[in-house]
Each structure stands twice: as structure tokens, then as C-alpha cells.
């Protein structure tokens, strides 16, 4: 396991923590927590063989969050001195004083065990920030050169996003955690035209909680097979540009994990966040049809549907040791045998509905889903790695080919592209990188202009089969948005290939009035 | 409550420029404070006051290499929280070293302020020496008590309020080794409130932009929500289909921001957007919209004023670090229905052979001769739909800029020029470019706020309401 970054540990962490928490306690805070964070971001963009832009950004600062007079108070600062830490604590208390006049339901936090002086570092081999920019640029330039010299590719772009996040958390109960995470999102896109038609195709490689080894390492070292994708994308793009427009209507689909992860994210991940289900996001990200009164009763999908929340999954983007309220992370069921059985919780939400996840004493317990994306933002309930589980049948379950063999006339959907879902997570519409035609169980070319549109429970209810563990892949995104002010979070979702019957396929050209 | 500890941003700029050993250097300091309140179910939830200082150092170095082997200017950008000279020096050292290790930049151009480069009328802002302008929780001194009263009224009316107010003031200082010393203060504020009945069977929304919250009345917001929730006393279920639809200014802002965001010149020139011409080039000069339609940006625009110069922290398709400091002025993107310009850098302008028209941080849609208000459009509609706002808008087909998204928090039935009930929500599939060709009626342009994009990205818009005779509601959404 890599070490915690010594340059972070050299910051006056303990002095700031003591000053902030001490001042909050002096002023009578019922609860106070302190976070010092340093998040480094790096972006490298290449287009058609030339470096287009590269930038490094560092977000360093601290935050004090209090419960005072039954209300939240939050303040953040960037000057790393004890005097400023005290001042920020005073500001948080002052904000709570203002908030208390409008807070009609006093803030409660689920009680949690104390974790004193614990550390945690994510699983990676090579810190991408230790790799020279020139080396990264050379890789991306090579990708675009290789792509744009392939037949049919006119332009090619490649990018790399890298994040290195170190957090120190402490609260008045004595919990004190220091953690470090690394994540990486490399990718490329090839663009081409054919007559009046233009299109593009992107790599399927997902963002991961890994280091530079994901780009240059062997599969055994955690590397992705970039050569295979660079080889096949131009061929598939040319095929797509020449493909016929899709025939709309109810269609059987086999969906690859590179597409299904996003449908899981939108229609299950967000729908089972308790803060949304209770209306906390009603003015922004929206609420949920999956309300707590339906727990144990809501038929979310077919009996083969088993969905888990997990913040302990190795290389998952939402994986960490302890959340931003000092709660040890964990894994649990959200949908079992097609029925809603669980929610994602932070401490305030767990306290609101203790029966959802009771501890031994009957008090509600968080399942470790608090997260803030920067020192300047307040922690809120964010998504765990929410994943659809593969078929547990002895013998390994179906392969993707075996699922395709069950389709007489349908589509095989690969890669994510466009996504949209309504404010209660009912109605969604997704496109993909490619929609392959399936005839009599065989993949026979592609179609263009396709999107699938459905209502969440109907869609998951139409899931006839899930593939076995060999089809299961972890995908995800860096840019899940939620809250006001807006925060982004990285999250992974695992899925097997899965077979759906009779899903509504749209022809997007017809939707636009072009046909 | 005391003010946040501050350092002199001008000193950070000067120290950064002095410390750099690069051939040229730009230092950008953004000092921002933010105060917000959030509520749900008639009680306050999260809130906060934040202060940040972000320093961006862009270094420029002559290096060997490049496609011709003749060398060129490489650039590198490093940003971080820096509150003292040592912090800035560390950023400068990183940027200088990174630029030296880089390859010639394809967008290299003379820096603004240097000989032969375009520049502002004055390279030094008159207020350069002024300190950053802060905000604080005190910006809600009159708003907060009234919000508490609004909670009470909502409770007594069996309604629930969910909302957010945010005020941000960012003071930006730009200094360059070529002599630029530019300062800009940008206040940005917005409010939004969703109302629901306690049975959660219907919802409504009001929201808008403000600079200082002096013009925002929570009691008026609550009253509007009460009226709209009342409209849902008659519920009408309608199927998917094409409807005569009135888009209020907020929904028009959502869609025009999309049309603007995808209007990059390079992407169009390379054949990958709705603004591409076949077999090559852009559609600049081509009629895209109805006659009389104007889409433009202006840093001096009334109520939507923004930075009058380019600030580019990194280079990309639509931005170039070499352009920082370029003066911005009114730019017509669509003039009298014709595509007039695309978002350019000097580099993309050279590629496309079109004028240098960098992106501006505001957007105005105007229809020549359009008068009246949203209410007037409703009064003139025999049977149609009135939307509240749009949500979760995403590109489906770049070829036509087909977008999908949903109606949200109130769709109302208009019959005989009056609102007669509430309708279910819909998913739509539409192209904003195509809508500018198909709309039949427009109101006068007014200050608007995009619910989809206004919170954290693009909040300065002015748009009319538009009536579209055949808006494509692709399917029904059960969301309430």
C-alpha cells in the first residue's frame, strides 16, 4: 500500500484541528467536525497529434461544520493558521445562529463508533502525479496519431484526468481519520464522416481507482487493453457510419456493462439515496419514487435483480476507508430478489429514519455515504459503488454470447453516451456508443440513431437474465452532480451483461423530425 | 463575525511575475467568497460561508521541437490555493518547469499587451489597486427573516417549500509579463424555490438571478407557488405527442445555452457539429433561424454584465491561454436569423478564416418586434401547454443538436387563453436550433435564469418566452 503523502502530513493539521474544534466547543457547539483537504487535479488534452492543453489544479483548505442550537453551521477557509481556524469556527457558529431561526426540525446525527487516529490509502501502484507530463503527453499523442491514420478517421482526441485526494477528518467525539485516494480517467475518441453523416466513437475504458499502471501496465498489473480498443474503434466507427437507421419499437436488448452501469447509476443509485427520497434534493437533483414506506414491498425489477451498495470495493471510485463523517465504510443490499430492501445513508439521514439500518441498540446507523468534493463544500449523502450482481448459479452463469443466443431479433448495446432521467427517477432515455444488430442470436453489424427509453420499474422488470461473473465489469464516472451548491463525485458501478425483453427503442432522427 | 484573513492579491500577482523564469508569464488570482442557505420541507438544512483564493500561473517558454522542428512556444498552467508569496512561488516553479518540458503549443500567439497583439484600450484597470469585494451571510439579513415567515405561511397552507439561495462575489486579478494589470468584480446570485402540497401530488417552482438579494422577496415567491399549486386543482392527463407549447424565459435560456455551448468554431470547422457545413467549413452566413432572431453576447449587457476580457486558465477547443486579456465586446452569434459567428480563439479563427470572436459569459436572445409578456402569450393561445422549466437536458444527436430532457415542477393546460389545469410531465426530444426556426410567437426579452445550467455554470441570460406550435413531447413522465 502506498504511503500517505508526507507533504500533506507536514501541514499543520493538528494545530488547525485543535484550534477549530476547540473554538467550536468553547462556543457551545453540540457537534463539530473539521476537515483539512488537499485535492490535486490534472488534465491533459490532445487533439490530432498535438498537445492542446494541460493544467494542474490544487484545492487546499479546511472546513468547520457545527450543530449549534439545533441547526447546521458551516464555514470554510484557506489560510492555514490556527487564528484563521478559530475565525472559521466562529463563522460556522454565526451561520448556525442565523440558521437556527429558520430550523424547525433540530439536526440529529446517528451515533457512530469512534475511530481514533486511523489511516487508509487506496489501492494503486504508481501515483500519476509522479509521472512526468511529457510521458503522459507522449502516450496520448500516440493514441491520436494511431487513430487518425486509420481508414475513415478524420480527427482524434485523447484526454487524461487524474485526481489525488488527501483528507484529514476529526470531530469532537475523538474520531480522527487521514486518507488518500487516487483515481484516473484516460480516454480517446475517433471522429469521422460519410457523406452527410458524421459521428464519433469513444473508448470503453472506464475511469478507475488506480494509478498510472492503468495506462501502461499489463492486465496483471491493472492495465487496460488499450491496443485492442485502438485497433477496433476505427473499424467499428466506419461500420457505424455506414449502418442503417434503427427501426423503432419494442426491442429485445442485451446490454453490456459499459452501457448498463449508467442506467444503474441513474435509475437505482440516485433513486435509493435517502436524502432524495425524503425531499432534500427536491429543488435541484430531484426526489425518488422509491420512498421509504415502500421498503420491503416495492417490486423494483425481476427476481434476478440483486443490487448492492459498496464503498469497500477495491479500485471503486467511491471506495474509501471512512466517510466524511468518520463512519467506517461497508457493503449492503439495496435490491434483493427484485425487491427494494435498502438505502444509502449518512448520519443525519440515518437519524431521521433509524429503522432503515438499526444498530444493536436500535438507534439508526449510517452506512458511510457522506462525502464532500472539496474543503469548501459541506458533506452530504453521496453515492456508494452501486452494482448489479451477476448470476450466482453454480457453473458460472451465462456468458454474453449465451445471452445473445436467446435473442431472435434485437440489439446489443455497448458503451455509454447520452443519458437523462426525470426528477423522480421514473422516465429515462439513454443512447450508447454502438447498437449492434442481433439476428437469431448472432451480432450482424450496427444500426444508427438509436436510443432506449423506459420507466425504471418496467425496465428492470423486463430483465430476463443476468450474465455470470465472467461478464461482470466495473465502470463509472468522475462527474456525478448533486446538491446546492453543486458538488461532483466519482462513483463506480459494476454490472454483468443482461438480457431485457421488449424495451422501447426510438429513432432519434425521427424524434428530431428528420424522417 | 470577522472578515476572512486575506492577502493582497496584487502582491501575489507581482510576486508571481517576478519569480517566473519563463520567457513570459501570466498570473491570475481569483478571490471568491460565497454564502448560501438551503431548505427542505419548511426547515433550513445545509448552509455555509466559504472563502477561497485560487491562483493560476501560466508560463510560456520557447522550446525546440514541434511539427516543423523549428521550435515554438510551449505553455503550461498550474493552479492552486495560494495565500502567500511562498505558495505563489511554488506554483510558478511548477508551471515554469512544466512548460520547459512541454512541446510547442499549437495555439501559440503573441501575448496580449505585447507588440503586434490586440489588446484592451488600457492595459491597466483603473481599479487595479482596489481590494477584493467579499460577500457574507449578512447578504441575507432581510431575506432570512422573511424566509422564516414564508415557511410559516406554507405550513398554514399545507404546502412544503424546498429551495436554495446563493451569493458569490469573485474578484479576478490578471497580470502578465507583457504589462496587463486587469481587475474584474463579478457578483453572482440566484434563488430558487420548489413548492409541493403536503400529499406530494403536485409541485411548482420559481427562481431567478440577482446581484445582491435586495430584489428577492421570499413571501412573493411563496405566494406565486401557492397560486401555481392551486392550478393543479384540476388535473388533466395527456398522452405523448406534439403540442402547441409555451416555453417560459427560463426554459428558453436552458435551450439557448445549449445552442451556444456547442457553437465552437473548431468543432464546426472539423465537421462535428450542427454548425458544420457539408462537405467542409462552417454554416456561418447561413440562415438557421426565423428572420428577426438575434442571439448575442455583450460584456456590458444590462443586468448581465460580465468580464470584458478573456481569462483562460487552460487551452482547449474554445479557449487559448495566449488569448488572456483579449478585449470582449458585443458579439452577434445569430443576426436576423443568420449564423453570424462561432466561439473562437485566435488559433481557431486562423483555422476557419473567420473573425476572432471569443466566448463571453452571458447570452441574450431577442426577437425583433416581440412585445408583451409570458402572460400575453398565454392569453393568445387557444389550446396548448405552459411549461415551468426543463430539466436533465442532454445531447442525443450532435448532427442536429437534438436534445432530450424533461418538463419539471408544473406543466399547465391553456384553454381559451387561460390556465385551466395541470398536466402530467413529459420527456421531450427537440433541437434548440430547429426551435428558432419553428416558433410562432415571442414575448419581449427579459432577464432570465436557466434552471438546468444557472446554478454553477451559466447564470447570466436574457431571453423571451417562445411559443412553439409542435413541440415534441416524446413520452409521459410520471414524476410529480
Amino acid at each position: 500500500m502506498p504511503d500517505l503523502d508526507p507533504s500533506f502530513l507536514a501541514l499543520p493539521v493538528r494545530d488547525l484541528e485543535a484550534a477549530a474544534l476547540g473554538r467550536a466547543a468553547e462556543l457551545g457547539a453540540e457537534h463539530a467536525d473539521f476537515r483539512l483537504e488537499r485535492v490535486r487535479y490534472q488534465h491533459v488534452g490532445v487533439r490530432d497529434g498535438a498537445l492542446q492543453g494541460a493544467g494542474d489544479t490544487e484545492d487546499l483548505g479546511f472546513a468547520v461544520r457545527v450543530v449549534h442550537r439545533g441547526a447546521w453551521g458551516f464555514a470554510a477557509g484557506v489560510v492555514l493558521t490556527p487564528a484563521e481556524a478559530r475565525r472559521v469556527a466562529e463563522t460556522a457558529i454565526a451561520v448556525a445562529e442565523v440558521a437556527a431561526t429558520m430550523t424547525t426540525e433540530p439536526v440529529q446525527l446517528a451515533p457512530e463508533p469512534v475511530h481514533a487516529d486511523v489511516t487508509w490509502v487506496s489501492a494503486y501502484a504508481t501515483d500519476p502525479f509522479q509521472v512526468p507530463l511529457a510521458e503522459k503527453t507522449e502516450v496520448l499523442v500516440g493514441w491520436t496519431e494511431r487513430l487518425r491514420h486509420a481508414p475513415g478517421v478524420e480527427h482524434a482526441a485523447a484526454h487524461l484526468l487524474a485526481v489525488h485526494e488527501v483528507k484529514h477528518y476529526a470531530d469532537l467525539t475523538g474520531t480522527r481519520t487521514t486518507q488518500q485516494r487516487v483515481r484516473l480517467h484516460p480516454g480517446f475518441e475517433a471522429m469521422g464522416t460519410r457523406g452527410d453523416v458524421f459521428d464519433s466513437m469513444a473508448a470503453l475504458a472506464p475511469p478507475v481507482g488506480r494509478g498510472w499502471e492503468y495506462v501502461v501496465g499489463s492486465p496483471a498489473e491493472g492495465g487496460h487493453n488499450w491496443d485492442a480498443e485502438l485497433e477496433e474503434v476505427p473499424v467499428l466507427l466506419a461500420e457505424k457510419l455506414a449502418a442503417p437507421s434503427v427501426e423503432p419499437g419494442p426491442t429485445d436488448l442485451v446490454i453490456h456493462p459499459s452501457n448498463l452501469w449508467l442506467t444503474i447509476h441513474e435509475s437505482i443509485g440516485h433513486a435509493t439515496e435517502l436524502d432524495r427520497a425524503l425531499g432534500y434534493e427536491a429543488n435541484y437533483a430531484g426526489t425518488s419514487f422509491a420512498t421509504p414506506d415502500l421498503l420491503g414491498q416495492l417490486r423494483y425489477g425481476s427476481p434476478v435483480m440483486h443490487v448492492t451498495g459498496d464503498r469497500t470495493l477495491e479500485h471503486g471510485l467511491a471506495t474509501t476507508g471512512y466517510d466524511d463523517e468518520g463512519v467506517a465504510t461497508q457493503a449492503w443490499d439495496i435490491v434483493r430478489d427484485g425487491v427494494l430492501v435498502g438505502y444509502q445513508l449518512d448520519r443525519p439521514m440515518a437519524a431521521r429514519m433509524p429503522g432503515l439500518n438499526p444498530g444493536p441498540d436500535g438507534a439508526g446507523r449510517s452506512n458511510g455515504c457522506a462525502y464532500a468534493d472539496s474543503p469548501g463544500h459541506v458533506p452530504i449523502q453521496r453515492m456508494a459503488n452501486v452494482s448489479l450482481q451477476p448470476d450466482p448459479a453454480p457453473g458460472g452463469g451465462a456468458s454474453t454470447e449465451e445471452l445473445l443466443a436467446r435473442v431472435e431479433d434485437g440489439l446489443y448495446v455497448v458503451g455509454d453516451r447520452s443519458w437523462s432521467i426525470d426528477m423522480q427517477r421514473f422516465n429515462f432515455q439513454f443512447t450508447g456508443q454502438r447498437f449492434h444488430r442481433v439476428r437469431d442470436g448472432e451480432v450482424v453489424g450496427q444500426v444508427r440513431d438509436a436510443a432506449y427509453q423506459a420507466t425504471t420499474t418496467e425496465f428492470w422488470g423486463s430483465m430476463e437474465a443476468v450474465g455470470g461473473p465472467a461478464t461482470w465489469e466495473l465502470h463509472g464516472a468522475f462527474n456525478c452532480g448533486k446538491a446546492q451548491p453543486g458538488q461532483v463525485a466519482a462513483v463506480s458501478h459494476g454490472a454483468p451483461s443482461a438480457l431485457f425483453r421488449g424495451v422501447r427503442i426510438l429513432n432519434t432522427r425521427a424524434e428530431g423530425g428528420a424522417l | 463575525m470577522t472578515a476572512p484573513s486575506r492577502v493582497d492579491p496584487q502582491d501575489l500577482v507581482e510576486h508571481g511575475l517576478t519569480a517566473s523564469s519563463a520567457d513570459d508569464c501570466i498570473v491570475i488570482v481569483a478571490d471568491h467568497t460565497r454564502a448560501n442557505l438551503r431548505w427542505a420541507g419548511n426547515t433550513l438544512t445545509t448552509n455555509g460561508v466559504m472563502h477561497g483564493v485560487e491562483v493560476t500561473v501560466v508560463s510560456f517558454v520557447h522550446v525546440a521541437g514541434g511539427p516543423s522542428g523549428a521550435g515554438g512556444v510551449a505553455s503550461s498552467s498550474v493552479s492552486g490555493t495560494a495565500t502567500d508569496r511562498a505558495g505563489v512561488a511554488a506554483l510558478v516553479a511548477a508551471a515554469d518547469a512544466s512548460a520547459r518540458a512541454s512541446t510547442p503549443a499549437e495555439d501559440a500567439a503573441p501575448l496580449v499587451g505585447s507588440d503586434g497583439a490586440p489588446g484592451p484600450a488600457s492595459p491597466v484597470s483603473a481599479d487595479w489597486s482596489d481590494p477584493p469585494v467579499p460577500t457574507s451571510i449578512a447578504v441575507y439579513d432581510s431575506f432570512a427573516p422573511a424566509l422564516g415567515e414564508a415557511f410559516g405561511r406554507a405550513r398554514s397552507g399545507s404546502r412544503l417549500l424546498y429551495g436554495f439561495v446563493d451569493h458569490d462575489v469573485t474578484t479576478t486579478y490578471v497580470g502578465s509579463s507583457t504589462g496587463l494589470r486587469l481587475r474584474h468584480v463579478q457578483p453572482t446570485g440566484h434563488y430558487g424555490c420548489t413548492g409541493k402540497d403536503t400529499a406530494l401530488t403536485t409541485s411548482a417552482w420559481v427562481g431567478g438571478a440577482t446581484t445582491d438579494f435586495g430584489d428577492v422577496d421570499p413571501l412573493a415567491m411563496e405566494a406565486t407557488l401557492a397560486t401555481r399549486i392551486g392550478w393543479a386543482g384540476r388535473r388533466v392527463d395527456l398522452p405523448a405527442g406534439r403540442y402547441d407549447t409555451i416555453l417560459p424565459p427560463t426554459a428558453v435560456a436552458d435551450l439557448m445555452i445549449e445552442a451556444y455551448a456547442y457553437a465552437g468554431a473548431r468543432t464546426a470547422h472539423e465537421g462535428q457539429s450542427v454548425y458544420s457545413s457539408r462537405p467542409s467549413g462552417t454554416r456561418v452566413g447561413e440562415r438557421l433561424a426565423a428572420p428577426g432572431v438575434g442571439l448575442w453576447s455583450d460584456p456590458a449587457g444590462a443586468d448581465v454584465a460580465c468580464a470584458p476580457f478573456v481569462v483562460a486558465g487552460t487551452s482547449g477547443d474554445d479557449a487559448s491561454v495566449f488569448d488572456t486579456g483579449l478585449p470582449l465586446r458585443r458579439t452577434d452569434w445569430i443576426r436576423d436569423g443568420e449564423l453570424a459567428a462561432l466561439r473562437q480563439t485566435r488559433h481557431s479563427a486562423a483555422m476557419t478564416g473567420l473573425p476572432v470572436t471569443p466566448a463571453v459569459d452571458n447570452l441574450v436572445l431577442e426577437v425583433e418586434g416581440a412585445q408583451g409578456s409570458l402572460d400575453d402569450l398565454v392569453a393568445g393561445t387557444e389550446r396548448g401547454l405552459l411549461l415551468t422549466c426543463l430539466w436533465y437536458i442532454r445531447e442525443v444527436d450532435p448532427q442536429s443538436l437534438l436534445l432530450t430532457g424533461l418538463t419539471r415542477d408544473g406543466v399547465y393546460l391553456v384553454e381559451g387563453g387561460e390556465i385551466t389545469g395541470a398536466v402530467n410531465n413529459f420527456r421531450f426530444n427537440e433541437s434548440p436550433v430547429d426551435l428558432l426556426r419553428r416558433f410562432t410567437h415571442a414575448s419581449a426579452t427579459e432577464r432570465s435564469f436557466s434552471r438546468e445550467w444557472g446554478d454553477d455554470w451559466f447564470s447570466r441570460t436574457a431571453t423571451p418566452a417562445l411559443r412553439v406550435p409542435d413541440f415534441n413531447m416524446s413520452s409521459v413522465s410520471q414524476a410529480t
Side-chain angles (χ1 to χ4, degrees):
Chain A
M1 178 188 292
D3 293 331
L4 286 165
D5 190 329
S7 67
F8 180 85
L9 299 176
L11 296 171
V13 179
R14 295 300 171 103
D15 291 346
L16 297 172
E17 169 198 312
L21 294 180
R23 186 61 181 143
E26 285 171 13
L27 294 172
E30 297 140 37
H31 164 90
D33 59 58
F34 167 87
R35 277 182 299 123
L36 176 69
E37 293 191 16
R38 189 189 66 195
V39 191
R40 289 177 170 162
Y41 305 88
Q42 185 176 64
H43 169 261
V44 185
V46 167
R47 192 174 180 95
D48 291 342
L51 176 65
Q52 197 173 27
D56 284 84
T57 303
E58 180 182 286
D59 190 3
L60 172 65
F62 67 92
V64 180
R65 185 179 72 155
V66 301
V67 178
H68 177 60
R69 294 179 53 201
W72 283 121
F74 177 82
V78 291
V79 179
L80 304 186
T81 63
E84 179 68 354
R86 282 191 292 275
R87 188 199 66 78
V88 169
E90 290 165 1
T91 301
I93 291 287
V95 171
E97 299 273 359
V98 173
T101 62
M102 293 171 281
T103 301
T104 54
E105 295 177 22
V107 175
Q108 301 286 329
L109 299 178
E112 290 290 339
V114 171
H115 304 285
D117 280 318
V118 291
T119 62
W120 185 91
V121 179
S122 68
Y124 62 91
T126 305
D127 177 358
F129 288 82
Q130 299 303 314
V131 177
L133 175 63
E135 185 177 334
K136 296 167 186 162
T137 304
E138 186 179 344
V139 169
L140 301 188
V141 165
W143 288 355
T144 61
E145 289 293 73
R146 188 167 160 184
L147 286 168
R148 74 182 181 132
H149 288 107
V153 176
E154 294 178 347
H155 301 283
H159 70 266
L160 176 73
L161 301 170
V163 180
H164 185 284
E165 173 189 292
V166 196
K167 290 188 182 222
H168 174 82
Y169 169 92
D171 63 34
L172 287 177
T173 70
T175 286
R176 186 179 283 125
T177 69
T178 308
Q179 304 182 87
Q180 180 169 298
R181 303 197 297 170
V182 162
R183 51 187 178 268
L184 202 66
H185 187 192
F188 63 76
E189 186 174 29
M191 292 153 262
T193 57
R194 188 174 190 273
D196 285 342
V197 176
F198 72 80
D199 216 324
S200 62
M201 192 170 287
L204 303 181
V208 289
R210 294 184 186 269
W212 183 240
E213 68 276 7
Y214 182 57
V215 176
V216 297
S218 66
E221 295 165 330
H224 180 71
N225 191 345
W226 296 99
D227 278 339
E229 282 223 84
L230 289 161
E231 198 69 33
E232 74 174 7
V233 160
V235 177
L236 290 166
L237 174 60
E239 181 184 70
K240 184 180 182 184
L241 284 164
S245 206
V246 71
E247 194 66 37
T251 306
D252 293 344
L253 305 179
V254 172
I255 305 182
H256 186 263
S258 59
N259 181 275
L260 193 56
W261 74 268
L262 188 48
T263 313
I264 293 167
H265 176 87
E266 299 291 2
S267 69
I268 307 171
H270 279 309
T272 57
E273 297 173 313
L274 187 62
D275 62 341
R276 296 180 63 118
L278 295 178
Y280 281 71
E281 287 286 331
N283 188 58
Y284 184 64
T287 60
S288 174
F289 72 94
T291 48
D293 55 307
L294 301 176
L295 193 76
Q297 302 169 44
L298 175 66
R299 171 56 66 183
Y300 217 109
S302 70
V304 300
M305 183 182 188
H306 178 202
V307 177
T308 56
D310 188 347
R311 295 202 72 191
T312 68
L313 186 67
E314 193 171 46
H315 306 302
L317 295 170
T319 298
T320 192
Y322 304 86
D323 77 355
D324 283 357
E325 293 179 327
V327 179
T329 55
Q330 50 208 270
W332 69 100
D333 281 351
I334 292 175
V335 176
R336 190 168 51 233
D337 301 328
V339 176
L340 174 71
V341 295
Y343 281 93
Q344 301 162 76
L345 307 164
D346 61 7
R347 291 182 65 188
M349 292 303 109
R352 283 284 310 266
M353 302 203 73
L356 293 181
N357 187 33
D361 58 356
R365 291 285 301 277
S366 166
N367 47 31
C369 287
Y371 176 71
D373 69 351
S374 89
H377 284 153
V378 67
I380 56 169
Q381 187 271 301
R382 293 310 309 259
M383 203 182 294
N385 303 302
V386 172
S387 298
L388 177 66
Q389 295 304 309
D391 186 348
S399 67
T400 301
E401 291 70 25
E402 287 168 333
L403 294 176
L404 289 166
R406 292 161 68 168
V407 176
E408 184 179 327
D409 184 2
L411 296 170
Y412 175 38
V413 188
V414 179
D416 65 86
R417 192 152 187 169
S418 171
W419 69 100
S420 174
I421 191 165
D422 74 29
M423 64 182 185
Q424 272 183 288
R425 305 280 142 176
F426 282 114
N427 176 304
F428 60 68
Q429 180 176 310
F430 293 89
T431 63
Q433 290 296 322
R434 39 194 192 255
F435 285 73
H436 298 275
R437 298 175 81 175
V438 182
R439 294 286 183 275
D440 298 323
E442 298 289 329
V443 171
V444 286
Q446 296 180 56
V447 294
R448 290 183 43 75
D449 312 321
Y452 66 91
Q453 193 184 79
T455 296
T456 293
T457 50
E458 288 176 6
F459 176 79
W460 291 109
S462 76
M463 184 168 67
E464 183 178 287
V466 291
T471 73
W472 195 90
E473 294 182 10
L474 193 63
H475 288 260
F478 270 22
N479 59 340
C480 172
K482 186 178 176 183
Q484 291 177 301
Q487 298 193 40
V488 293
V491 60
S492 292
H493 300 285
S497 293
L499 169 62
F500 298 82
R501 296 294 189 187
V503 179
R504 183 186 181 199
I505 287 287
L506 302 180
N507 182 301
T508 57
R509 291 191 69 208
E511 287 291 308
L515 293 179
Chain B
M1 195 169 26
T2 55
S5 302
R6 292 184 184 280
V7 290
D8 182 350
Q10 296 90 342
D11 184 67
L12 296 180
V13 169
E14 299 301 344
H15 185 72
L17 294 175
T18 303
S20 177
S21 61
D23 295 333
D24 274 304
C25 184
I26 293 174
V27 179
I28 304 164
V29 177
D31 182 296
H32 56 90
T33 53
R34 186 173 201 179
N36 50 60
L37 302 174
R38 198 177 194 207
W39 60 93
N42 298 335
T43 186
L44 217 64
T45 56
T46 52
N47 53 67
V49 174
M50 303 83 168
H51 173 226
V53 180
E54 184 180 53
V55 178
T56 299
V57 177
V58 188
S59 296
F60 304 87
V61 178
H62 245 284
V63 295
S68 67
V73 178
S75 69
S76 182
S77 167
V78 177
S79 302
T81 307
T83 57
D84 55 26
R85 289 183 169 191
V88 173
L91 296 174
V92 167
D96 286 359
S98 183
R100 287 196 173 88
S102 193
T103 53
E106 61 171 0
D107 57 335
L111 292 189
V112 176
S114 61
D115 290 343
S122 169
V124 181
S125 298
D127 59 359
W128 168 256
S129 302
D130 289 356
V133 177
T135 188
S136 74
I137 201 74
V139 75
Y140 303 118
D141 276 353
S142 61
F143 179 90
L147 180 63
E149 192 177 341
F151 289 163
R153 289 191 189 182
R155 262 192 302 276
S156 62
S158 300
R159 293 181 296 276
L160 298 167
L161 302 181
Y162 308 79
F164 180 63
V165 287
D166 190 30
H167 192 243
D168 178 292
V169 180
T170 298
T171 309
T172 302
Y173 299 83
V174 176
S176 76
S177 54
T178 55
L180 295 181
R181 297 293 185 274
L182 303 174
R183 176 181 181 271
H184 177 72
V185 179
Q186 186 69 65
T188 302
H190 59 87
Y191 59 95
C193 189
T194 300
K196 293 179 179 289
D197 64 317
T198 49
L200 305 180
T201 59
T202 189
S203 62
W205 178 81
V206 293
T210 179
T211 54
D212 60 8
F213 280 87
D215 54 350
V216 183
D217 178 0
L219 296 173
M221 289 196 308
E222 203 282 326
T224 301
L225 292 170
T227 299
R228 288 179 166 246
I229 289 170
W231 287 345
R234 179 186 173 223
R235 165 80 184 214
V236 181
D237 288 327
L238 292 178
R242 289 186 178 269
Y243 287 93
D244 193 351
T245 301
I246 301 168
L247 304 169
T250 176
V252 174
D254 286 332
L255 296 171
M256 290 307 108
I257 289 169
E258 295 274 1
Y260 182 50
Y262 284 96
R266 180 170 184 171
T267 308
H269 180 72
E270 294 183 345
Q272 299 290 318
S273 89
V274 69
Y275 304 107
S276 302
S277 182
R278 307 287 165 218
S280 62
T282 74
R283 296 175 70 185
V284 169
E286 190 177 319
R287 176 166 299 286
L288 295 186
V293 169
L295 184 70
W296 47 271
S297 300
D298 185 352
D303 298 328
V304 292
C306 62
F309 50 85
V310 171
V311 181
T314 57
S315 290
D317 282 348
D318 300 341
S320 170
V321 292
F322 293 87
D323 290 350
T324 289
L326 274 185
L328 297 172
R329 53 181 67 89
R330 173 171 167 142
T331 304
D332 290 339
W333 310 107
I334 296 175
R335 186 188 304 119
D336 195 20
E338 286 187 1
L339 184 64
L342 294 165
R343 295 152 52 109
Q344 299 271 16
T345 63
R346 280 183 288 171
H347 175 59
S348 68
M351 291 174 74
T352 59
L354 294 167
V356 179
T357 48
V360 180
D361 191 23
N362 62 28
L363 189 65
V364 179
L365 178 70
E366 261 187 334
V367 178
E368 193 178 314
Q371 295 180 333
S373 65
L374 177 69
D375 290 344
D376 295 320
L377 289 190
V378 170
T381 301
E382 187 54 36
R383 191 170 196 278
L385 302 178
L386 168 65
L387 309 186
T388 297
C389 55
L390 304 177
W391 186 246
Y392 223 129
I393 304 166
R394 294 292 182 273
E395 182 195 68
V396 176
D397 181 3
Q399 186 116 5
S400 60
L401 194 54
L402 183 75
L403 305 174
T404 194
L406 296 123
T407 64
R408 180 171 183 178
D409 294 323
V411 178
Y412 305 104
L413 181 63
V414 180
E415 294 176 302
E418 294 186 348
I419 291 162
T420 58
V423 177
N424 45 274
N425 280 299
F426 295 98
R427 169 173 297 288
F428 69 87
N429 280 311
E430 276 288 359
S431 165
V433 176
D434 205 39
L435 292 178
L436 289 179
R437 183 181 59 80
R438 288 163 35 216
F439 75 93
T440 55
H441 299 75
S443 70
T445 290
E446 62 183 63
R447 180 76 167 97
S448 59
F449 178 75
S450 161
R451 189 172 187 194
E452 175 88 11
W453 305 118
D455 262 33
D456 299 300
W457 173 41
F458 205 103
S459 65
R460 282 171 277 279
T461 55
T463 46
L466 294 179
R467 182 175 155 194
V468 180
D470 53 356
F471 196 84
N472 179 20
M473 301 298 189
S474 175
S475 60
V476 168
S477 157
Q478 297 163 259
T480 57

